Amino acid sequence: MKSKFFVLFLFPILLSSCGAPKSETEKRIDEILSQMTLEEKIGQMSQLSYDVSGDVGGAIAEGRVGSLLNVVDPVKVNELQKIAVEQSRLGIPLVIGRDVIHGLKTIFPIPIGQAATFNPEIVEQGAAVAARESRSVGIHWTFAPMLDISRDQRWGRLAEGMGEDPYLGGVMGAAMVRGFQGNDLASANSIAACVKHFVAYGAAEGGRDYGSTSVPPHLMRNVYLVPFKAAIDAGAATLMTSFNDNDGIPGTGNKALVRDMLRDEWGWDGMVVSDWASVTEMVVHGFAADDKEAAARAVNAGVDMEMVSTSYVGYLAELIKEGKVSQEYVDESVRNVLRLKFRLGLFDSPYVDLSVPSPLYAPEHLAAAQTAAEQSAVLLKNDGVLPLEGVRTVALVGPMSDAPHDQLGTWIFDGEKSHTVTVAAAMREMLGEDITVIHENGVEYSRDRSVANIPRAVAAARRADVVVAVVGEEAILSGEAHSLADPSLKGAQEELIRELSKTGKPLVLVVMAGRPLLIGDEVEMANAVLYSFHPGTMGGPAIVRLLTGEVSPSGRLPMSFAREVGQIPVYYNHNRTGRPFRGGEVLIDDIPLEAGQSSLGNTSYYLDAGSAAPLFPFGYGLTYTTFEYSGVGVSAEVMEMDGGVEVSATIKNTGSREGTEVVQLYVNDVAGSIARPVKELKGFQRVTLGAGESRRVSFTLTADDLAFWGIDMEYKAEPGDFRVWIGPDSSEGLESRFTLR
Ligand code: NOJ
């Protein structure tokens, strides 16, 4: 009792009198550590899930639990916290975690949609809203952002990430960390972020979730680790190890990456948590003979806290006795856990203040979610039908047109469909009395194979001036463990679109999905395509405003869209082959019968599909005006290692309405100590220009921006020639050059 009094009361007083510099926190941790039994230490390294572990009160009182996840009732949180603070011997508070991935109650677009905004401020704001709502119900810690690079449309979890590009992933990941954590983790508006899944989880073979990955060291450093490093540099408080084995080593047992790189090389002092049972799943991997060996491998690798499985509690004491895990490693892990709790202010303020008015669904939160949905939609095609003007009757069809649950997307444990505003609801509300909306789904849900109602949708189309078909995927078709072998529109949706297109009425497709779908045929049939991903609570009003032109689309693709499944992976920043596709290659029907053995044009392509070019490239997106790029230039032809060059171009709005262009900067290192990608994104700016307006847009590049891990595994820029482009997407742009010396 005496020691608890010391921890809870005397230390804070001592601290406040000396200004609480960081080292004081470490001294407080020393003090607590010196009082802890081994069992209590191991308890701090254990996280249980409230929904599956049953009555955890007794274990908390005995100091056998450091953290809980999945308790979201603030009254219950306070009750459990009270047990930790008042009944456990040392009174160490619990840290409460939850997957708050794109909003707690106010749901923002899924992360891949947020990435499409190319606007880190939007991402930061969304995370800040999520943090405020979460902390108000007693959640201290979210398991986001997910920064797994993905180049595979089949992988369902790409919905939760930032797409295929390491630079964009890093910028957005850092923004999300800032949004969740704010300036002070102890504030009532902040929660701890958790960057995940460390690492390469998105490179799963065949796009099958949890699959093995084979990412070699250079690719790991130059691509897969880049967003993690950016988020760690932005101050991410925690990190989660991954399920996948990379080159035979599961993320949760990877000492070289966690202890040696993250801790020793990067000098990071945050806390590492395993994924759900990923410690004991190392037995299933065949990386440990039993749970005991798995616990040893995880702690030795540097995993501070075990999520849900209980091998630490079961075996760590024994492992220490046997000398298989050092006491020092355990103390370090406990220190990392306690440091997180201090940073969150939990020792001083462990409880949820139930008297504070609830911020859930605050009007400003809903407004921010709507802006995010507006900026995340990508206009892929428009023959002029959009924005809708002079329209008297709209036929609104499609399974996602009024799907309040599904438009929220994956990972919304706490979102409520009763708060969703669908496109149907928004049209009724916003289009005014002069416009009639005829609503017929045609296909009832995205997997619905029935064609019985398609004639009703076609009849509605015939009576209308324009058809808006909201198609896509139900929320449950993407996300964890929801990979698809064929990521195309499911059910009778293609049939619906075909029948609608036959009416000859202008056809606008709005696609709400958790991934880039294979939509080549549907794009052909439509007059316009707006890709909204799963847009969240306020998706309906956002889409109506985009369709009517109240706001103009400004999203850009954070992932390339494959034309067909056999092309996957298709991504813009691939390495150069020695025999690149040239165009005009021989195709399957050009080959004469009984042709002799030949390597045709000796280039890299598909006989039956031509080039590997995507349907839509990374960075692509249209708006309701057009832009012209001219006058690209570099400030100097030679850049010194310690200097920089400015790359600039003039962008002119050549249309008749205001619009936002995402101006993108790409670089190619012409010859390196290892082969370099054909292009790499190095900067982007959202630029809003009025009709006829032009602006000079410039980017500064330094050697730091050109650095990579080369043949000797050193991170540095290498002297030589660089090509540089300023353009509207990864496939186009005006080129210039400079030499680094
Ligand atoms: C498993 C998922 O892989 C991870 O992302 C998530 O945070 C945990 N479960 C906790 O729910």
Side-chain angles (χ1 to χ4, degrees):
M1 210 51 208
K2 198 169 156 214
S3 51
K4 181 157 53 176
F5 177 81
F6 187 72
V7 170
L8 282 178
F9 299 106
L10 289 186
F11 250 107
I13 293 166
L14 283 176
L15 272 181
S16 56
S17 62
C18 57
K22 192 178 161 209
S23 62
E24 286 301 324
T25 299
E26 299 304 317
K27 283 189 209 157
R28 288 178 77 176
I29 294 173
D30 285 342
E31 172 60 28
I32 299 171
L33 269 172
S34 71
Q35 298 173 50
M36 290 176 91
T37 63
L38 180 58
E39 283 63 35
E40 285 165 338
K41 288 178 181 174
I42 296 168
Q44 286 304 306
M45 296 169 70
S46 306
Q47 181 185 52
L48 297 179
S49 184
Y50 181 69
D51 52 347
V52 295
S53 297
D55 181 20
V56 286
I60 297 171
E62 287 165 19
R64 286 191 282 115
V65 185
S67 173
L68 287 176
L69 75 158
N70 298 338
V71 44
V72 275
D73 170 2
V75 174
K76 192 73 202 170
V77 169
N78 278 352
E79 210 177 276
L80 295 165
Q81 192 67 294
K82 198 160 186 246
I83 299 177
V85 171
E86 293 187 5
Q87 292 178 33
S88 74
R89 196 176 70 88
L90 293 171
I92 300 172
L94 296 164
V95 55
I96 308 290
R98 178 74 161 168
D99 289 286
V100 180
I101 306 301
H102 50 116
L104 182 81
K105 294 288 182 186
T106 305
I107 303 297
F108 281 67
I110 53 172
I112 189 80
Q114 294 188 40
T117 65
F118 276 66
N119 187 345
E121 279 167 33
I122 289 282
V123 172
E124 185 171 338
Q125 208 174 43
V129 165
R132 185 167 176 238
E133 292 194 354
S134 300
R135 194 85 189 225
S136 81
V137 298
I139 296 165
H140 311 128
W141 176 25
T142 180
F143 306 117
M146 185 188 97
L147 297 178
D148 300 312
I149 297 288
S150 177
R151 298 165 161 181
D152 197 322
Q153 298 177 217
R154 296 168 296 184
W155 190 52
R157 284 204 92 166
L158 72 84
E160 208 186 323
M162 301 295 178
E164 76 187 35
D165 185 66
Y167 175 80
L168 182 66
V171 170
M172 295 313 205
M176 208 175 253
V177 167
R178 288 196 301 273
F180 283 133
Q181 299 193 168
N183 297 326
D184 176 11
L185 264 185
S187 134
N189 293 325
S190 298
I191 56 177
C194 182
V195 291
K196 68 186 188 186
H197 305 84
F198 204 70
V199 59
Y201 177 52
E205 276 176 7
R208 288 183 302 280
D209 206 4
Y210 314 129
S212 294
T213 61
S214 306
V215 177
H218 284 103
L219 189 62
M220 184 67 95
R221 292 268 187 173
N222 287 325
V223 174
Y224 287 87
L225 284 168
V226 171
F228 285 90
K229 182 71 168 63
I232 294 285
D233 289 347
T238 76
L239 172 143
M240 185 186 292
T241 55
S242 58
F243 286 128
N244 60 296
D245 75 284
N246 188 62
D247 196 18
I249 307 172
T252 301
N254 199 326
K255 177 173 174 294
L257 287 177
V258 181
R259 191 172 292 283
D260 302 348
M261 193 191 69
L262 180 69
R263 293 286 180 209
D264 297 348
E265 186 187 319
W266 294 4
W268 184 65
D269 70 354
M271 193 197 80
V272 177
V273 66
S274 77
D275 202 342
W276 184 288
S278 69
V279 176
T280 53
E281 282 174 13
M282 291 198 288
V283 178
V284 189
H285 272 282
F287 188 72
D290 51 27
D291 287 2
K292 183 173 168 186
E293 192 183 352
R297 292 201 91 148
V299 176
N300 288 335
V303 177
D304 301 315
M305 184 179 275
E306 178 179 19
M307 182 188 283
V308 176
S309 54
T310 54
S311 66
Y312 285 12
V313 169
Y315 302 106
L316 255 187
E318 250 174 70
L319 286 163
I320 291 174
K321 229 180 270 159
E322 292 166 9
K324 293 187 175 141
V325 168
S326 72
Q327 177 69 51
E328 201 191 331
Y329 277 180
V330 168
D331 284 355
E332 244 175 60
S333 284
V334 177
R335 179 178 291 281
N336 294 333
V337 174
L338 296 179
R339 189 183 298 116
L340 174 69
K341 294 182 176 185
F342 274 111
R343 284 181 174 161
L344 283 161
L346 296 176
F347 283 91
D348 300 323
S349 186
Y351 300 112
V352 190
D353 183 350
L354 298 170
S355 67
V356 172
S358 168
L360 305 180
Y361 300 114
E364 66 274 21
H365 294 185
L366 294 170
Q370 183 174 321
T371 307
E374 287 168 4
Q375 293 194 14
S376 66
V378 186
L379 184 64
L380 297 177
K381 177 179 181 181
N382 186 17
D383 70 359
V385 62
L386 292 179
L388 300 175
E389 272 160 7
V391 167
R392 305 302 299 261
T393 307
V394 177
L396 176 65
V397 304
M400 298 296 284
S401 59
D402 198 18
H405 170 78
D406 288 315
Q407 86 174 44
L408 296 179
T410 185
W411 278 119
I412 44 110
F413 286 143
D414 305 291
E416 296 155 306
K417 69 176 185 177
S418 54
H419 287 259
T420 302
V421 189
T422 65
V423 176
M427 278 198 177
R428 281 194 295 272
E429 174 82 22
M430 295 164 70
L431 287 189
E433 282 167 12
D434 295 343
I435 301 180
T436 306
V437 178
I438 315 170
H439 185 202
E440 285 289 351
N441 280 348
V443 167
E444 296 310 313
Y445 55 97
S446 71
R447 286 167 290 163
D448 182 6
R449 292 200 181 93
S450 166
V451 293
N453 290 333
I454 291 181
R456 296 168 71 97
V458 170
R462 291 218 170 89
R463 288 163 53 207
D465 303 320
V466 66
V467 185
V468 174
V470 191
V471 296
E473 295 183 298
E474 293 152 72
I476 198 61
L477 296 188
S478 60
E480 184 176 352
H482 289 82
S483 296
L484 292 173
D486 174 15
S488 52
L489 279 174
K490 297 297 182 196
Q493 294 187 87
E494 187 182 345
E495 176 103 10
L496 171 69
I497 294 165
R498 193 172 304 285
E499 292 306 312
L500 292 169
S501 76
K502 285 186 197 157
T503 65
K505 293 295 170 84
L507 175 59
V508 177
L509 296 186
V510 175
V511 189
M512 289 186 180
R515 54 161 66 74
L517 290 167
L518 298 168
I519 49 167
D521 293 343
E522 292 81 1
V523 169
E524 282 284 308
M525 290 186 264
N527 298 81
V529 180
L530 183 68
Y531 212 90
S532 70
F533 300 96
H534 286 131
T537 305
M538 298 302 284
I543 286 165
V544 172
R545 271 162 56 86
L546 288 161
L547 294 175
T548 57
E550 247 179 280
V551 287
S552 297
S554 60
R556 298 293 183 268
L557 295 181
M559 243 183 120
S560 310
F561 274 47
R563 286 173 193 279
E564 32 200 316
V565 79
Q567 278 185 313
I568 295 171
V570 52
Y571 54 97
Y572 85 94
N573 50 350
H574 54 85
N575 285 352
R576 273 171 291 170
T577 151
R579 296 180 170 189
F581 179 73
R582 279 194 306 260
E585 268 81 345
V586 170
L587 294 178
I588 194 161
D589 295 330
D590 306 328
I591 304 174
L593 292 178
E594 299 197 358
Q597 166 63 28
S598 87
S599 300
L600 299 175
N602 287 88
T603 68
S604 179
Y605 74 109
Y606 296 106
L607 276 184
D608 55 353
S611 87
L615 178 66
F616 297 110
F618 173 86
Y620 177 81
L622 305 169
T623 185
Y624 296 150
T625 184
T626 45
F627 296 97
E628 187 184 271
Y629 286 65
S630 64
V632 69
V634 289
S635 57
E637 280 171 18
V638 174
M639 172 178 156
E640 302 297 338
M641 271 295 170
D642 57 355
V645 290
E646 212 178 89
V647 190
S648 53
T650 301
I651 321 298
K652 181 173 185 195
N653 179 344
T654 48
S656 54
R657 45 197 301 154
E658 185 186 274
T660 299
E661 174 74 331
V662 179
V663 181
Q664 298 161 42
L665 175 78
Y666 293 90
V667 160
N668 166 240
D669 189 343
V670 175
S673 62
I674 59 169
R676 306 295 297 129
V678 291
K679 270 186 183 179
E680 292 176 284
L681 183 71
K682 291 292 175 187
F684 55 85
Q685 290 178 37
R686 287 172 60 91
V687 178
T688 301
L689 296 173
E693 196 186 340
S694 349
R695 189 168 311 155
R696 193 86 191 146
V697 174
S698 54
F699 298 87
T700 303
L701 281 172
T702 64
D704 223 28
D705 301 307
L706 307 173
F708 66 99
W709 296 87
I711 192 102
D712 299 327
M713 264 306 171
E714 272 180 48
Y715 184 72
K716 58 173 193 260
E718 296 178 355
D721 292 340
F722 287 82
R723 300 164 79 194
V724 61
W725 295 261
I726 291 186
D729 61 58
S730 60
S731 72
E732 277 187 69
L734 299 179
E735 185 181 336
S736 191
R737 276 180 176 253
F738 64 90
T739 302
L740 177 66
R741 201 168 54 186

